[in-house]
Amino acid sequence: MENDDINLVVNATNTNAVTGGNVLDEGRVGTNGLQTKGIHVWFGKHHVLEDISLDFPANSVTGLIGPSGCGKSTFLRVLNRMHEFIPGAAMAGEVFLDGEEIYGPKVDVTAMRLKVGMVFQKPNPFPSMTIAENVLAGLKLANIKVQDKDSLLEECLTRAGLWKEVKDRLKLSGSSLSGGQQQRLCIARALAVKPKVLLMDEPCSALDPASTLKVEETIVQLSADMTIVVVTHNMQQAARVSDFCAFFLSDGGPGQVVEADRTAVIFSSPSDQRTADYVQGRFG
Amino acid sequence: MSIATVEKPTAAEPPRRSITNQRNASDKRFRAVVTSGAMFAFVVLALIAGFLLFRGYEVFREFGFGFLTSSTWDSGTGESLQGASYGVAAMLVGSIIVALMAMIIALPFVIGTSLFLEYYIGKKIRAVLVSILDLMAAIPSIIYGLWGYLVLMPHAAGWASTINKYFGWIPIFKVDVKNFDASPFISALVLGLMIIPIASSVTREVYSRAPQDQISAAYALGGSRWGALKAVVLPFGRSGLIGGMLLGLGRALGETVAVLLTLNLVFKVKFQVLASAGGNVASLIASRFGEAGPSEIKALMAAGLVLFTLTLLVNFGASIIVSRSAKVSQ
């Protein structure tokens, strides 16, 4: 029963969390999107995440919130196996993308990461490449041939909300842009390989408020046809952009999900007192 | 009030205070030590250049530009420069050919070694391998020379013969006489091996500083390890690679003993790298110095000046290239 409590998608038999039960489209539930089951993570002997089971329905935005050090970013990295580059990191549990296990023995990790893109906390365009080359870098890295590069370039930059600002200087270095523009360039770069899922690790924490707003608009627009998971420390941001929220907390031990539900519920009538305290800014 | 004073353009500025500071005695002493140490290095460099200029001046006055373009080395009576004929063209061209070939041979090994040590093995093995690599840089060049002469040459002559057999139609791989011993090719192999450790150590250091967040970005885009290295580490480390290779070039140009043992010095400008004939300024000086008469000594000094200038130019060019490409990769 405890697992069901922290399940994000609440199906018909579980009336525990979603009041009214009117939001979730039946079609979204099931094998579409991203599911995790019983995720544990260790760094060496240190147990950092304990038994996380969350479902991320297709074409929605899920915010991961919680105080620093509770394992949100680590959990995000488990979703595209980027945690494997951290020395000493180990995990247990299962992650399904559209019903297929991404930790399966026959999975090609690089091919899987094409489907699960990632945007990092600090904008990290490749400084040796131009703006256009940055957007198309993923294709080159994965050896994907595209017929019409120009239209893909325009499409990705438009979706990332950057096209108008850079269309006349596509040949300039990616590092010539401002921080906010660089972050949207990174989003465009992630979109070029047509991922089904986009993971974002505090994508706005290094940006000014105006740039933050633009990135948030981009997130909302993108969620029309992709699954987005965003880690954020900004409660207003979580309220503005996300459809669902999961509240992570570590009380000295490994991080756990205290509560996961529709964003409106998390912010208005959370079932756990700790969630209420956190979203109202009483700690963390 | 304040606005009115700003608008007055003719208002005289107050005199600016100069920075004054009473230095204490220990600071003064330390400053003197540091300054004299730095000056000493420059003075030594200037003295070497002056010495070579002074001793070689007569030769340049006698032969002029011909000293660089002629290839005859004839000491005549041995007492005076009259009747003798000196020129380092063959040696100079040979030095450059051997050094460049050594660079070409070393380059793939330098890149491979640096990437392997930084990105393909664990910390513990890396520490061991790095110290072995540094040890290789410390092996005296006479050892490399002996090994090249006794062990490498018999095999390398066979390789040279094979290259000549299949690629002999390319002018530089042609030979007039089928003798493949002591060729520029073999010297370059030895020199290439010698510069791998020093060039790798500089390159590896720069590769290790490649930004981790960009490497992560490449992986997250579905890049393989090689893809991430190609997209991030190689462009980032280009200046380090160039710097390391030019450091190696400096060593290769000035290398004496290893070349002396593995190269047959011939006073004729040749571009056939597999043939048993080549030139090298440093080896020329070493091989002739012992039995040189007064006039030949002067010519050898002049040759030393040429080598000194060449190495200075290479290092100067190296620092320009490194600083320029370092800017690009920022």
Side-chain angles (χ1 to χ4, degrees), chain A residues 80 82 85 110 113-114 116-118 120 122-129 137-138 141-142 175 189-190 193, chain B residues 211-225 227-228 230-232 235-236 238 328-330:
Chain A
N80 68 345
M82 285 294 287
F85 294 107
T110 57
R113 291 205 187 102
L114 289 175
V116 188
M118 192 165 203
F120 295 81
K122 205 181 123 213
N124 54 2
F126 300 124
S128 60
M129 300 182 191
L141 280 166
S175 46
R189 180 176 68 184
V193 293
Chain B
Q212 192 57 47
D213 61 330
Q214 286 171 28
I215 297 175
S216 297
Y219 282 132
L221 282 168
S224 59
R225 182 168 300 197
K230 198 167 69 166
V232 180
F236 176 86
R238 196 178 297 139
V328 173
S329 64
Q330 285 303 303

Side-chain angles (χ1 to χ4, degrees), chain A residues 125 138 148 171:
Chain A
D148 193 354
K171 294 260 158 62

Side-chain angles (χ1 to χ4, degrees), chain B residues 128-140:
Chain B
V128 175
L129 290 184
V130 165
S131 53
I132 292 175
L133 196 69
D134 291 343
L135 211 65
M136 277 176 67
I139 296 176

Side-chain angles (χ1 to χ4, degrees), chain B residues 93 97 171-174 268-274:
Chain B
V93 169
I97 287 177
I172 57 165
F173 294 138
K174 220 161 49 182
K268 189 163 181 242
V269 177
K270 281 194 159 199
F271 295 95
Q272 298 175 346
V273 297
L274 299 180

Side-chain angles (χ1 to χ4, degrees), chain B residues 96-111:
Chain B
I96 295 169
I97 287 177
V98 171
L100 284 183
M101 280 178 69
M103 300 260 292
I104 293 168
I105 291 166
L107 183 66
F109 293 100
V110 170
I111 297 176

Side-chain angles (χ1 to χ4, degrees), chain B residues 144-229:
Chain B
Y144 276 101
L146 283 174
W147 176 82
Y149 179 75
L150 294 171
V151 181
L152 183 70
M153 201 189 291
H155 298 284
W159 307 338
S161 153
T162 310
I163 296 174
N164 172 255
K165 190 172 163 193
Y166 294 105
F167 296 101
W169 49 274
I170 303 173
I172 57 165
F173 294 138
K174 220 161 49 182
V175 291
D176 297 330
V177 184
K178 291 225 179 279
N179 178 5
F180 299 101
D181 281 338
S183 66
F185 170 69
I186 292 167
S187 266
L189 279 178
V190 176
L191 276 188
L193 280 176
M194 285 176 65
I195 63 180
I196 287 171
I198 191 158
S200 301
S201 121
V202 174
T203 310
R204 187 187 65 81
E205 193 68 39
V206 178
Y207 280 177
S208 74
R209 276 184 268 131
Q212 192 57 47
D213 61 330
Q214 286 171 28
I215 297 175
S216 297
Y219 282 132
L221 282 168
S224 59
R225 182 168 300 197
W226 162 234
L229 295 180

